[in-house]
Amino acid sequence: MKSEFLAELPSSLAVKDFGSPRGHGIVAETNLPAGRKVLSKHPTVMVPNSDARNTTCARCLQTVSASGPGIAPATVESVFPCEDCGVTFYCSKSCEIIDRKRFHQEECQILQKLTPRIPPTLVVLVMRLLILEGTHADDLFGLKSPLLSHLDKKFETEEYASIALMAKGAKEFSGTKLPLEGVIEIVGKTIINAVTVVNPLFDSVGLMIDGLIAMFNHSCNPNAFFIFEKGKITVRTGRKIAQGEEICVSYIDNTLALPNRLKTLSQRYFFICSCESCLPPTGLDTPDYRNDFVCAKCGSALHPYRSQDVLSPGFYNNYKSCPNCGIVFGNQPRTIEAIDNRISALKLHDSSPIMTTADADKLLAKLALVRDLKVVPLHRSPFTTSIQRLLTFHVSQESLAIALKLIGIEYFYQDPVLWPALEMQAVRLAHMARFSIVLLLVMLDPTSPQSQELASDLPTIDLGVCLWGLLDVMDRLIPRVYGENSQFQAYLKEQKSRFLSFIGDDYQGRFTSQTLEQLRWNAEMDKIRKFSITWWENL
């Protein structure tokens, strides 16, 4: 591995070759505490999503602020277009100068010829890699790169045909002298190693690729996570990491149950995960909150999987009866498998965006069917993934009544199980931020039909106390996850100011002079919890 590749690796980290099939990874050279920033850098190449180019800075991927209380964090006041091509935007002259020198001087001429038909995000990313040809980026992503493309496993598939088409376009647009086979290899490596760039609310804003970042391997029980701020990607530890321990992040939604994790990783990244969460014990006595079913009579956990091989006859543990209450199951001895197949038939593991209210209602009806089985805990997939999709849709539509009910399920019944170490979880912070946005929207427009519907359902809940408590807790947690003076922290201060301005001077003292305990924040939040679970149980 060439020295240029390791130039930005801090002394607290080292590259280690774990051999086949794991390959290279990053290990700690010293003991690391939870919350430690271990690496922060500008990615080799980063591009905004194609459908948001005119609202996103091409250099730092900060986005234009939306008006109103729903403003997303990590945004900028405005962006302006390149004077020549008109399709690449920047938030400042400094971002434009840096980006033009590194990429856009050549890219601009290409885009002028293609406008208004701008290539997809991945093709633009590859084009920028090809513009760097001849620098150390070629060592990282070219034919001699240690990164894998897995093209041999995709050959003679529809995906390979798509990759070849993208490569052909990138080669033609960029004017690279590399042969088509070489560009196809780079596209394959980009697909495998690219990372989605998200803002603190976990909305996708772009795509990036970096050879050093790609060296961090996956675990379904990761000990580190990525943060994106001001054009940089930062790796932070999520718990204490011992000297010599590998530092791992998660490539996928690691709240999925074992079969879905294995399938996703195998299809997308071409490996079978062997972390401790994917090597279930052969016995029946080890719980796993992501996998367990429960007895419909007594609620005791049933541990479904005994094998990592989903095609193996021994994949499922065989229960004839509940080990706690003794109730005899039907369909024995394949009870667990029958339940899993029944849920799978509902096809709830789709990750595509919900487009219409009718689609959202159909999904909610399917979740009610799973709920009525009484064997799937609320914190388990498919509830977790489906509720995320529903929330994204209803928040975007400002369907506040249904959004708040779903947020109550997520915040009170899913997050505490899935993300118990609150102070180190960027995901849970994102959920809290979304919770606060919905509450503020309700309060700022009390005459809207949505707010009036909630007012009739929640007449005794002090939403102001609930909102203030969320903002106060986030104010203490954000520096631990994002560091001091982050844009997320600035966003939070803006939300606090907006809230205090709305409630007026006479009411402000109540919040600024009293503790959350004095405000009875937990009691008010518990009312939302009861409101949400009552709705859920009566769907």
Side-chain angles (χ1 to χ4, degrees):
M1 199 173 298
K2 297 189 178 183
S3 60
E4 295 95 334
F5 186 70
L6 304 176
E8 296 180 281
L9 192 69
S11 59
S12 59
L13 307 179
V15 175
K16 180 178 178 179
D17 187 352
F18 290 93
S20 181
R22 192 162 186 80
H24 293 86
I26 304 291
V27 297
E29 285 284 83
T30 184
N31 293 331
L32 299 172
R36 169 69 61 85
K37 179 172 71 175
V38 296
L39 177 66
S40 186
K41 70 186 300 288
H42 289 286
T44 303
V45 183
M46 185 163 58
V47 297
N49 290 333
S50 297
D51 59 356
R53 289 180 65 92
N54 62 347
T55 58
T56 308
C57 177
R59 160 64 180 168
C60 64
L61 266 59
Q62 295 184 87
T63 56
V64 174
S65 301
S67 59
I71 177 176
T75 57
V76 289
E77 290 290 329
S78 62
V79 292
F80 59 88
C82 165
E83 293 181 356
D84 298 318
C85 69
V87 295
T88 299
F89 285 71
Y90 300 101
C91 67
S92 66
K93 277 295 179 183
S94 62
C95 273
E96 181 181 25
I97 291 170
I98 294 170
D99 193 63
R100 182 175 288 276
K101 181 178 180 181
R102 188 165 172 79
F103 301 109
H104 192 61
Q105 188 168 341
E106 294 183 43
E107 178 190 63
C108 187
Q109 300 175 33
I110 300 169
L111 294 177
Q112 287 181 56
K113 296 176 183 177
L114 295 175
T115 303
R117 298 179 63 184
I118 305 302
T121 305
L122 185 70
V123 175
V124 176
L125 190 69
V126 173
M127 282 169 48
R128 288 197 160 205
L129 274 175
L130 295 173
I131 288 172
L132 289 178
E133 188 182 343
T135 69
H136 76 279
D138 190 44
D139 297 325
L140 300 183
F141 306 103
L143 302 179
K144 297 181 180 179
S145 164
L147 303 181
L148 300 176
S149 67
H150 294 293
L151 286 177
D152 57 320
K153 300 169 184 174
K154 298 179 182 179
F155 197 70
E156 296 183 353
T157 66
E158 290 185 9
E159 186 179 2
Y160 186 89
S162 176
I163 289 171
L165 184 63
M166 284 189 287
K168 184 177 180 181
K171 174 177 170 58
E172 180 181 337
F173 300 150
S174 66
T176 180
K177 296 179 181 179
L178 278 176
L180 180 59
E181 292 76 12
V183 181
I184 290 174
E185 181 73 13
I186 291 175
V187 172
K189 290 175 180 177
T190 302
I191 290 173
I192 293 294
N193 295 285
V195 177
T196 300
V197 180
V198 297
N199 66 17
L201 288 187
F202 279 68
D203 302 314
S204 172
V205 297
L207 200 63
M208 59 143 282
I209 187 164
D210 184 90
L212 192 53
I213 294 299
M215 298 295 289
F216 287 90
N217 283 324
H218 166 85
S219 172
C220 295
N221 188 24
N223 53 22
F225 54 90
F226 294 145
I227 294 292
F228 299 93
E229 266 265 309
K230 300 178 182 178
K232 284 188 172 183
I233 182 170
T234 297
V235 183
R236 283 189 178 272
T237 58
R239 60 168 174 79
K240 292 180 180 179
I241 298 177
Q243 182 179 6
E245 184 179 354
E246 185 176 12
I247 300 175
C248 293
V249 296
S250 179
Y251 293 176
I252 61 170
D253 177 2
N254 58 27
T255 67
L256 293 171
L258 177 64
N260 304 107
R261 296 201 311 272
L262 293 175
K263 182 179 179 181
T264 300
L265 290 167
S266 176
Q267 291 181 345
R268 191 180 302 172
Y269 299 103
F270 299 95
F271 69 85
I272 301 298
C273 187
S274 57
C275 73
E276 63 269 27
S277 295
C278 291
L279 293 172
T282 57
L284 303 177
D285 57 351
T286 304
D288 186 332
Y289 61 87
R290 290 174 288 193
N291 296 330
D292 288 349
F293 291 109
V294 295
C295 172
K297 180 180 179 181
C298 70
S300 298
L302 306 175
H303 319 310
Y305 312 117
R306 65 183 298 131
S307 165
Q308 197 182 30
D309 184 0
V310 294
L311 299 178
S312 167
F315 180 66
Y316 291 95
N317 279 318
N318 293 326
Y319 284 89
K320 296 182 179 180
S321 62
C322 173
N324 182 57
C325 70
I327 184 175
V328 177
F329 298 136
N331 220 5
Q332 57 176 290
R334 306 180 71 85
T335 303
I336 298 295
E337 185 176 1
I339 294 171
D340 224 357
N341 290 338
R342 193 170 174 183
I343 295 171
S344 296
L346 294 173
K347 298 180 179 180
L348 289 169
H349 292 293
D350 183 9
S351 59
S352 60
I354 298 171
M355 304 305 295
T356 68
T357 301
D359 290 338
D361 291 343
K362 288 178 183 177
L363 178 55
L364 201 55
K366 288 183 178 180
L367 292 182
L369 294 176
V370 179
R371 176 207 61 195
D372 292 342
L373 294 176
K374 298 182 180 180
V375 295
V376 183
L378 195 46
H379 59 258
R380 187 195 192 276
S381 168
F383 291 136
T384 50
T385 49
S386 298
I387 284 177
Q388 278 293 313
R389 293 176 64 212
L390 286 166
L391 264 171
T392 299
F393 172 76
H394 285 295
V395 170
S396 69
Q397 298 294 308
E398 294 193 8
S399 305
L400 304 181
I402 184 69
L404 187 59
K405 295 167 185 174
L406 290 165
I407 284 172
I409 298 300
E410 175 185 71
Y411 181 85
F412 295 106
Y413 292 93
Q414 294 178 341
D415 284 355
V417 180
L418 299 173
W419 316 106
L422 174 60
E423 68 277 7
M424 292 303 164
Q425 294 298 347
V427 174
R428 196 162 183 198
L429 267 176
H431 294 174
M432 294 177 74
R434 183 168 55 192
F435 198 163
S436 69
I437 288 171
V438 170
L439 288 177
L440 191 54
L441 282 168
V442 172
M443 297 182 67
L444 290 179
D445 191 6
T447 61
S448 70
Q450 293 280 343
S451 296
Q452 289 181 345
E453 178 185 346
L454 281 173
S456 63
D457 289 333
L458 307 173
T460 62
I461 300 179
D462 192 328
L463 297 182
V465 167
C466 294
L467 173 58
W468 181 258
L470 285 169
L471 295 174
D472 188 69
V473 172
M474 289 168 62
D475 199 16
R476 288 183 275 113
L477 295 182
I478 287 174
R480 301 185 194 179
V481 177
Y482 284 83
E484 295 289 347
N485 303 316
S486 68
Q487 289 179 305
F488 199 6
Q489 199 167 29
Y491 160 77
L492 177 69
K493 290 179 180 178
E494 182 181 346
Q495 294 290 70
K496 272 192 170 183
S497 175
R498 192 191 300 269
F499 171 62
L500 291 173
S501 175
F502 166 73
I503 62 177
D505 296 337
D506 295 338
Y507 204 42
Q508 285 185 23
R510 178 187 176 207
F511 293 98
T512 57
S513 63
Q514 291 186 313
T515 65
L516 294 187
E517 184 177 3
Q518 291 170 327
L519 289 169
R520 291 177 52 80
W521 178 60
N522 286 328
E524 295 302 316
M525 290 288 280
D526 194 55
K527 294 177 183 178
I528 294 182
R529 180 191 66 78
K530 292 177 181 177
F531 162 71
S532 299
I533 197 63
T534 300
W535 163 79
W536 175 261
E537 291 172 346
N538 291 284
L539 273 177

